[in-house]
Amino acid sequence: MMNRLVTEMDLRWLQDFLTLAECGQFNTAAELRHVSQSAFSRRIQSLETWVSAPLIDRSCFPLRLTVAGEQFRSNAAEIVRKMIDARGEASNNQDGEVLRVAMPHCLATSKFPAWCSSWRDASGAGSLRLLVGNVHDSVEWLVAGVVVMMVCFRHATEEIQLDPLLFKRIILQPDTMRLYRPVNMQVDEARLLDPDALATYPYISYAQGSYFRRLVELETGDLQGCPALSRICETDFVDGARELVRGGAGLAWLPESSAQAAVEQGEIVALGAKKWKIPMQICLYAKRQGASTESVERVIDLFHSRGLH
């Protein structure tokens, strides 16, 4: 049991190191790896101890790799890649290439069903494997090579930190984050911005630290602290927030792509003022080089041919 745990920890150290080498900042890398900065630093130090050489030059900002770190980086990436490939071959690759893609739950339910068959046909892959996770998980999977494509929302104020020399970004289609209300709940939009408002509207918020929570706070400023809003629930899931609005629980920010069906069924309504609209995009991210580059390019060409990019 102890040997197995040590082996797993060593693999995480390699993934930590590759993430740090990619983004160049301890705090960002720790966030992407979903651990505290202190724990992340200890893991990097443990890797350096195991390697018996300093891998990170901490005397500059942004940090850079030492000569040993640069040499070790390619080896670490190769080890992680081989481990992932070996796992895939051992699991079930009998029917040809498996095209692995990551995306958030709301896109997996609202968009992926329409994409699945066309992506498989265009890529030439035997099958697709969908991994559903938050932005941090998806970026980590893409950097580590667990997936070859990542599809997620993008906004300029909450940019995903991936090196454009190593990763490409393709705009699949525009989307808009909007504030929605239950169809039977009347809302005085002017009072939402009134610091002295007496009316209280129930509000479903995204959890602290989530991508959409940060995006909404950056774009709407003091709205989160508005006395006209009473936070009744926090959730990590867009689909969960949408279902709460459908059920009459309160207001929530939702991507139009996720809210469309409920709007068409007359269950929820978007607030009309420009203040309650945050333009964004649905984007595909992929490594510029890798074993599945040709398959990914064929999927991208599919969007180009349909004028969806």
Side-chain angles (χ1 to χ4, degrees), residues 59-163:
S59 65
C60 57
F61 185 87
L63 60 79
R64 58 175 176 244
L65 301 183
T66 62
V67 174
E70 291 288 358
Q71 294 172 340
F72 184 73
R73 181 179 186 177
S74 60
N75 291 327
E78 182 68 9
I79 291 170
V80 172
R81 186 190 65 78
K82 285 184 176 180
M83 289 292 293
I84 293 167
D85 288 347
R87 180 182 60 189
E89 291 173 3
S91 59
N92 98 18
N93 206 12
Q94 299 287 329
D95 299 323
E97 179 186 4
V98 177
L99 196 67
R100 301 182 300 274
V101 56
M103 64 183 68
H105 187 272
C106 60
L107 289 178
T109 56
S110 66
K111 291 295 184 182
F112 186 70
W115 290 337
C116 182
S117 295
S118 60
W119 284 16
R120 177 180 176 274
D121 293 342
S123 68
S127 64
L128 272 65
R129 183 182 177 193
L130 175 63
L131 279 72
V132 177
N134 58 32
V135 173
H136 300 309
D137 292 337
S138 298
V139 171
E140 179 180 319
W141 293 333
L142 181 64
V143 171
V146 175
V147 299
V148 297
M149 295 192 303
M150 175 184 75
V151 179
C152 61
F153 296 100
R154 172 186 177 265
H155 188 277
T157 62
E158 190 61 19
E159 185 65 270
I160 294 172
Q161 301 298 320
L162 286 170
D163 188 342

Side-chain angles (χ1 to χ4, degrees), residues 244-293:
L244 286 167
V245 180
R246 287 180 64 188
L251 289 74
W253 287 90
L254 303 169
E256 284 187 334
S257 57
S258 179
Q260 181 178 355
V263 170
E264 292 174 350
Q265 293 167 12
E267 297 170 325
I268 67 175
V269 178
L271 275 62
K274 185 178 180 180
K275 179 71 174 179
W276 318 122
K277 299 178 183 179
I278 305 175
M280 58 184 184
Q281 301 162 334
I282 299 175
C283 291
L284 182 152
Y285 295 81
K287 287 186 176 180
R288 294 189 178 277
Q289 295 182 341
S292 299
T293 300

Side-chain angles (χ1 to χ4, degrees), residues 9 16 41 54 82 108 141 158 163 194 206 212 233 298:
M9 178 61 75
D16 290 343
S41 296
K82 285 184 176 180
W141 293 333
E158 190 61 19
D163 188 342
D194 183 357
Y206 293 105
F212 282 142
C233 179
R298 288 194 287 267

